[in-house]
Amino acid sequence: MKTIYFITSNSGKVLEVKNKLTNLDINVVQKNLGYPEIQSNKLEEVAMFGAEYVQKRFKLPFILEDAGLFIDSLGGFPGVFSAYAFHTIGCDGILKLMKNAKGNDRKAVFRSIFAYAEPVKKPVLFIGECFGTISDKMRGSNGFGYDPIFIPDRFNKTFAEMRTSEKNQISHRGKSLEKLIDFFKNI
Ligand code: ITT
């Protein structure tokens, strides 16, 4: 069994990834090394910078992931600032900012970028998106982060009202992870 380190502080992410990679005989081990998140409005740049930073310091194969919730009527906020916004204003604060938003103004997209890196080679990125809307109030207790306020398109429940397996089938991370898995199958 091959071991791949997941450089993250977020055990919710590890849970979502572990099951799928175990099926490929890959053991995922969480490593909370931390890495700088540069100021850029593109998650791809944040993930690539983070991966190259870790690569210089950690000499084993690893993955990391950057995700964000981009709300149309807030000009993409919290976007690349999703972690900061979550720890400061949280889901409640986002709902307050959106209290007068109706219909299309509640549209949002979750984006996820995985980076896979091993020594010497350029890190490789895998992108996934999930479109949806922001709910009127927090609903559900599963998952993490903004899950209680995000309703994916074609559903009438939030991510936090879904089981992890159900969320994984449609989520941004589920999609970027599928691409990562295809990559692993071919190396
Ligand atoms: P890392 O150590 O992996 O960076 P993090 O929790 O800081 O963990 P991100 O920067 O990628 O993760 O995520 C930005 C924020 O978006 C963070 O507050 C998460 O809780 C939230 N988030 C990311 N993916 C999510 C998901 O699938 N559902 C709900 N919220 C999510």
Side-chain angles (χ1 to χ4, degrees), residues 6-10 13 16 32 35 37 65-69 82-83 86-87 110 144-147 159 167 172-173:
F6 191 172
I7 313 295
T8 180
S9 60
N10 184 328
K13 287 184 181 182
E16 288 185 5
N32 188 1
Y35 53 90
E37 297 201 351
E65 192 240 19
D66 267 304
L69 175 65
S82 291
F86 184 73
H87 291 118
F110 253 125
F144 62 93
Y146 298 105
D147 281 345
F159 270 163
K167 176 185 170 190
H172 48 305
R173 186 166 303 101

Side-chain angles (χ1 to χ4, degrees), residues 6-54:
F6 191 172
I7 313 295
T8 180
S9 60
N10 184 328
S11 47
K13 287 184 181 182
V14 180
L15 196 67
E16 288 185 5
V17 169
K18 221 175 169 46
N19 286 350
K20 286 228 175 176
L21 290 191
T22 306
N23 296 338
L24 283 185
D25 225 24
I26 296 175
N27 178 32
V28 178
V29 177
Q30 180 174 7
K31 205 148 181 80
N32 188 1
L33 284 182
Y35 53 90
E37 297 201 351
I38 55 161
Q39 271 208 326
S40 157
N41 58 4
K42 293 207 179 74
L43 277 183
E44 288 90 330
E45 288 177 3
V46 180
M48 185 55 84
F49 184 90
E52 288 178 336
Y53 177 93
V54 174

Side-chain angles (χ1 to χ4, degrees), residues 5-187:
Y5 292 88
F6 191 172
I7 313 295
T8 180
S9 60
N10 184 328
S11 47
K13 287 184 181 182
V14 180
L15 196 67
E16 288 185 5
V17 169
K18 221 175 169 46
N19 286 350
K20 286 228 175 176
L21 290 191
T22 306
N23 296 338
L24 283 185
D25 225 24
I26 296 175
N27 178 32
V28 178
V29 177
Q30 180 174 7
K31 205 148 181 80
N32 188 1
L33 284 182
Y35 53 90
E37 297 201 351
I38 55 161
Q39 271 208 326
S40 157
N41 58 4
K42 293 207 179 74
L43 277 183
E44 288 90 330
E45 288 177 3
V46 180
M48 185 55 84
F49 184 90
E52 288 178 336
Y53 177 93
V54 174
Q55 205 180 24
K56 288 192 190 105
R57 292 158 177 82
F58 186 72
K59 300 296 173 195
L60 292 168
F62 69 87
I63 52 175
L64 57 78
E65 192 240 19
D66 267 304
L69 175 65
F70 296 75
I71 301 175
D72 289 13
S73 62
L74 300 181
F77 182 82
V80 293
F81 306 110
S82 291
Y84 180 74
F86 184 73
H87 291 118
T88 49
I89 61 173
C91 288
D92 260 343
I94 297 289
L95 289 179
K96 277 189 194 127
L97 289 177
M98 306 274 303
K99 71 176 187 301
N100 295 321
K102 303 255 177 302
N104 280 347
D105 280 348
R106 302 196 76 84
K107 279 179 181 286
V109 56
F110 253 125
R111 294 206 172 91
S112 155
I113 317 273
F114 269 101
Y116 169 72
E118 50 187 78
V120 188
K121 290 186 190 159
K122 177 112 182 133
V124 198
L125 301 183
F126 305 91
I127 300 166
E129 288 182 327
C130 179
F131 291 87
T133 52
I134 302 300
S135 59
D136 294 329
K137 57 180 171 43
M138 288 174 66
R139 276 167 27 200
S141 54
N142 299 330
F144 62 93
Y146 298 105
D147 281 345
I149 60 166
F150 185 79
I151 304 171
D153 282 351
R154 293 183 302 280
F155 287 80
N156 52 21
K157 55 185 176 182
T158 66
F159 270 163
E161 294 175 298
M162 296 181 174
R163 293 187 312 276
T164 299
S165 56
E166 197 180 356
K167 176 185 170 190
N168 280 349
Q169 279 177 18
I170 54 165
S171 76
H172 48 305
R173 186 166 303 101
K175 290 176 188 154
S176 54
L177 187 56
E178 277 309 317
K179 294 181 187 169
L180 178 71
I181 287 171
D182 281 346
F183 172 82
F184 282 147
K185 282 183 182 158
N186 291 313
I187 56 170

